[in-house]
Amino acid sequence: MASQNLRTPGPTPLPSAVRDALARDMINHRGPEFAELMHECVDGLKWAFQTQHDLLILTASGSGGLESIVVNTLSPGDKLLAISIGYFGDRLIAIARAFGVDVVPMRLDDGHAADPQQIADALRADPAIQTVFVTHNETSTGVLNPLEAIARAVKETRPEALLLVDGISSVGSVPLQPEEWGMDVVVAGSQKGWMVPPGLAFVSVSPRALERSAQARLPRSYFDWQAHRRSAERGQTPWTPAVGLFFGLQAGLRLMRDEGLERLFERHRQMAAYTRNGLVELDLRLVADSDHASPTVTTAYVPEGINAKELLEALRSRHDVVLAGGQGRLDGKIIRVAHLGWFDQDDLDEALLALRIELNKVRAADSSSPATARA
Amino acid sequence: MASQNLRTPGPTPLPSAVRDALARDMINHRGPEFAELMHECVDGLKWAFQTQHDLLILTASGSGGLESIVVNTLSPGDKLLAISIGYFGDRLIAIARAFGVDVVPMRLDDGHAADPQQIADALRADPAIQTVFVTHNETSTGVLNPLEAIARAVKETRPEALLLVDGISSVGSVPLQPEEWGMDVVVAGSQKGWMVPPGLAFVSVSPRALERSAQARLPRSYFDWQAHRRSAERGQTPWTPAVGLFFGLQAGLRLMRDEGLERLFERHRQMAAYTRNGLVELDLRLVADSDHASPTVTTAYVPEGINAKELLEALRSRHDVVLAGGQGRLDGKIIRVAHLGWFDQDDLDEALLALRIELNKVRAADSSSPATARA
């Protein structure tokens, strides 16, 4: 099977070292080999998260990681200020509501980042809020929130509140510093910058978030942090872990260490700028506010009169270039190009060229079609 | 790295076709390639489950599958008759209690199977029970419950009750027939007879269990069957699936189809009998009642005076034979030998020989030691 140029914001392409690791035979997840493997993975994750907080590895995708931050920090009726700048922020709100949390939603228009001042005001207006959720990088719109400033605003306005962060498409590709900035919980997912297939969620948990989880009364079992923490002391997980994905993660982390965090962050920043320029040159309108454009995924509106699904299908079937479409209210309206994990400028050039060819085709057909000309 | 003879009841060894599949590069989980992959996996699972019920694939280990059967069929305060014949039956009870279910536990001694008559009596004694849980094969003790007779007893005594089954270490290796026997929900896990790494749970759900889930009021999001069912109509999962494990599952199911269900079941039955005989020949006392011995895992007590952990470590480090120890109250008291998935008689011969050598060593040391002789 010919390899595709997979430009979706997860799953991302796998380097051969990771693929070799995924093909390893199984080991006993209650034995010393697994304890050693898990130890190296936890160490590497702490390095990439730039934290000394506890680091838990859940066998679940990112949405399971998000459920874990709700059920471990909140009790029935607790108020949660949940800042959503898109589809995945909305997902966290839906999870929290499903569990009976009293969500105070703060929703921003697509393409815009959250405003630290507005968050501080919302906290001042409601003294009952003791927990705040925010997305770091909104994968559905390609917007990077100003997380350091948001964390500062929360800390200054309500120092005792916990700050929970969805870092699923940022951690490992974009800098963040849990302790220095003041983030209690950060979730990530294996299929993003880690260059590993989906199936693992990573959660960094501060000491006071762990304390909170010992008291929190939402029902939980599979995602219970306390159970994970107890098992971690023996180099195990409470439930059978996705052993093969741990092998892949070990290999991916080694590659990341070889590249180095700073170079890795810089590569993502540069390639994001390159992609934005490339899309603008194709006369596409970008979704994200340019001050808050994501280093890992770039989004653009599909021009009027062009069918997004047909465009994506043409790219896939004729060029082996796989972009992502829009989600929720942006379904059919935007395309998303990921520059995340294992890729280089050639992959982006190929994707941009394919896009140019297909857009030109449709535009040429449009301008020559009397029906369209009338419309 | 030299390959181990992995005789644990999951993870199980991986055939090379599965390992090759696990090393495949990623695809878009929202594209046509994944829809096709998922379709083949669901089809193959229905074949092995011998059912036409809905078949959901969750990205989680078996314990996540167990949580899903609790949160999708029950409401706060509902009564659940939960039959436990060991560690994993107890786990289901703990999950149900964590979610506020009113559990009516029926616990049997280690090594014993559940009694259909006793279950019928318990149902007659409590008309409020509308849901029954039972383990098919208890992995911790190596006991196979008489599931067909249990299902008949439930059906005759309380036809409207849902029967939920933990089939994690049975389905795919041991026959069962959800529709004919009357089982509403059956859970399985990828790291057992399917020859795939851990990380996927499979759940077959009857139409009336699906109806129940539409009404059930326990909080849930990640494990919500309704969300999985809606996405399945488009060949997708609601949350990012463990794509690589689907590749492995596809390969594992093709191997299972090549062998054929009847031959596969017969191989497990024969090898289980072979293992039981082998352990008895080593003067070990079996844990499971011989009428209900498991086709997938055989357990034996460690003789008095022998340290189970040291024995297991000697087998691992000197012979590359990895057996499992006991769990919960059987920790340090038993050993478990799996004959599950991809293995043959040679693997068992090697394990039994290693066990003979190590037992002989300890027994020889014991009989020559004055301290032990006195004890």
Side-chain angles (χ1 to χ4, degrees), chain A residues 25-28 31-33, chain B residues 1-8 13 315-317 319-322 347 350:
Chain A
D25 209 342
M26 286 292 101
I27 54 173
N28 178 13
E33 296 91 350
Chain B
M1 201 182 73
S3 186
Q4 289 179 330
N5 183 354
L6 189 64
R7 301 280 101 243
T8 56
L315 291 168
R316 186 190 72 85
S317 58
H319 306 268
D320 275 328
V321 166
V322 181
D347 298 312
E350 188 184 282

Side-chain angles (χ1 to χ4, degrees), chain B residues 17-90:
Chain B
V18 171
R19 294 171 59 177
D20 288 348
L22 293 167
R24 283 178 60 182
D25 210 342
M26 285 293 100
I27 54 173
N28 178 13
H29 63 295
R30 303 296 183 207
E33 297 90 350
F34 183 77
E36 204 177 300
L37 170 64
M38 180 163 152
H39 182 77
E40 182 176 337
C41 288
V42 168
D43 250 25
L45 288 170
K46 285 185 179 180
W47 165 79
F49 273 71
Q50 302 189 67
T51 190
Q52 288 306 315
H53 287 165
D54 269 54
L55 207 303
L56 309 176
I57 305 180
L58 315 176
T59 290
S61 51
S63 297
L66 291 182
E67 179 164 318
S68 91
I69 75 177
V70 169
V71 297
N72 283 282
T73 62
L74 294 158
S75 296
D78 271 4
K79 276 197 170 177
L80 170 70
L81 175 62
I83 300 140
S84 171
I85 62 168
Y87 186 76
F88 289 99
D90 287 352

Side-chain angles (χ1 to χ4, degrees), chain A residues 222-286:
Chain A
Y222 190 72
F223 293 124
D224 184 41
W225 290 345
Q226 298 288 330
H228 276 81
R229 213 178 157 226
R230 280 192 301 273
S231 293
E233 286 168 12
R234 306 191 296 277
Q236 297 184 6
T237 55
W239 332 117
T240 309
V243 174
L245 297 178
F246 278 71
F247 285 142
L249 177 61
Q250 180 182 46
L253 286 167
R254 286 177 184 177
L255 292 176
M256 290 171 74
R257 291 218 200 229
D258 286 348
E259 183 170 7
L261 266 191
E262 279 314 316
R263 271 168 59 189
L264 197 156
F265 294 156
E266 185 55 29
R267 174 166 61 90
H268 283 83
R269 264 193 297 263
Q270 284 181 3
M271 290 298 103
Y274 188 80
T275 307
R276 288 198 297 279
N277 288 338
L279 293 175
V280 168
E281 278 176 13
L282 296 177
D283 285 328
L284 296 179
R285 187 162 62 91
L286 301 180

Side-chain angles (χ1 to χ4, degrees), chain A residues 4 10-12 14 19 23 25-27 29 32-33 60-61 64 67 91 95 98-99 198 219 221-223 239-242 316, chain B residues 4 10-12 14 19 23 25-27 29 32-33 60-61 64 67 91 95 98-99 198 219 221-223 239-242 316:
Chain A
Q4 289 180 329
T12 59
L14 306 178
R19 293 172 59 179
D25 209 342
M26 286 292 101
I27 54 173
H29 64 296
E33 296 91 350
S61 51
E67 179 163 319
R91 178 170 293 178
I95 296 169
F99 278 85
S221 170
Y222 190 72
F223 293 124
W239 332 117
T240 309
R316 187 191 72 85
Chain B
Q4 289 179 330
T12 58
L14 306 178
R19 294 171 59 177
D25 210 342
M26 285 293 100
I27 54 173
H29 63 295
E33 297 90 350
S61 51
E67 179 164 318
R91 178 169 293 178
I95 296 169
F99 278 85
S221 170
Y222 190 72
F223 293 124
W239 332 118
T240 309
R316 186 190 72 85

